[in-house]
Amino acid sequence: MVNLRAYREYWKQYRQRLPVISRVVMLSVDEDISRTVQTLLPTDTVLFVLVPQARRIGETPDSWVDRNEAVVIVAAKYDPQRGGSVSCLERLQPVAEALRSMIADDMAAGCPVLGRVDIGSMRVTAVTTWYNTLAGWMTDFTFDTD
């Protein structure tokens, strides 16, 4: 499993790397999202980071690695009267694309937190009407750690 403290710190630095992100919120339960949604301003863009799941793979104890499943979501509140969720998706799409590129760059540079990212596993999916007020882009991928 990935070290959660290091994982949280890794994602927190995205506030400086992508200044449009106003908050980074680590999620372990649904209630975390609900509490965060209540405090969001219309101008906030949040990077939600789910605690990754892990499973051990390999033939023998000498070759075991943990395959971690990461999910991050760039989201913001949207106004149904002013373009709705599609407008929000259009605004956040460049952020999701930049995030995906930065993950790949970090992997290429030997990121000690993400280890070996399986770039082929990376998916970006639109998320709309999340908690009836959020829209954005979910990026999920797998990465292996020793």
Side-chain angles (χ1 to χ4, degrees):
M1 295 186 330
V2 67
N3 178 301
L4 275 183
R5 178 172 288 142
Y7 192 71
R8 184 183 70 235
E9 293 302 317
Y10 170 79
W11 291 108
K12 280 175 67 175
Q13 50 96 20
Y14 271 82
R15 280 192 66 204
Q16 286 74 43
R17 294 175 74 183
L18 288 168
V20 70
I21 295 174
S22 53
R23 294 164 75 178
V24 177
V25 178
M26 189 87 158
L27 303 174
S28 60
V29 294
D30 228 23
E31 292 169 12
D32 294 341
I33 302 169
S34 182
R35 278 193 298 269
T36 301
V37 169
Q38 292 173 11
T39 65
L40 286 180
L41 301 173
T43 56
D44 287 337
T45 298
V46 180
L47 178 62
F48 291 100
V49 179
L50 279 64
V51 172
Q53 296 183 8
R55 62 188 157 99
R56 186 144 287 172
I57 61 170
E59 300 290 322
T60 65
D62 292 342
S63 67
W64 283 345
V65 296
D66 282 326
R67 175 136 314 143
N68 302 277
E69 298 174 11
V71 177
V72 295
I73 303 165
V74 175
K77 278 189 172 180
Y78 66 89
D79 184 346
Q81 305 301 318
R82 295 195 175 110
S85 61
V86 172
S87 177
C88 187
L89 290 173
E90 289 172 353
R91 183 173 62 83
L92 294 179
Q93 186 174 13
V95 180
E97 289 173 351
L99 181 80
R100 182 171 54 171
S101 292
M102 289 177 175
I103 294 167
D105 291 346
D106 291 348
M107 191 263 316
C111 177
V113 177
L114 295 184
R116 295 169 302 284
V117 174
D118 177 3
I119 295 299
S121 73
M122 193 174 286
R123 293 182 309 166
V124 180
T125 308
V127 177
T128 58
T129 61
W130 196 32
Y131 284 80
N132 295 320
T133 188
L134 295 176
W137 295 94
M138 177 179 69
T139 301
D140 64 283
F141 59 94
T142 61
F143 65 100
D144 294 346
T145 54
D146 296 326

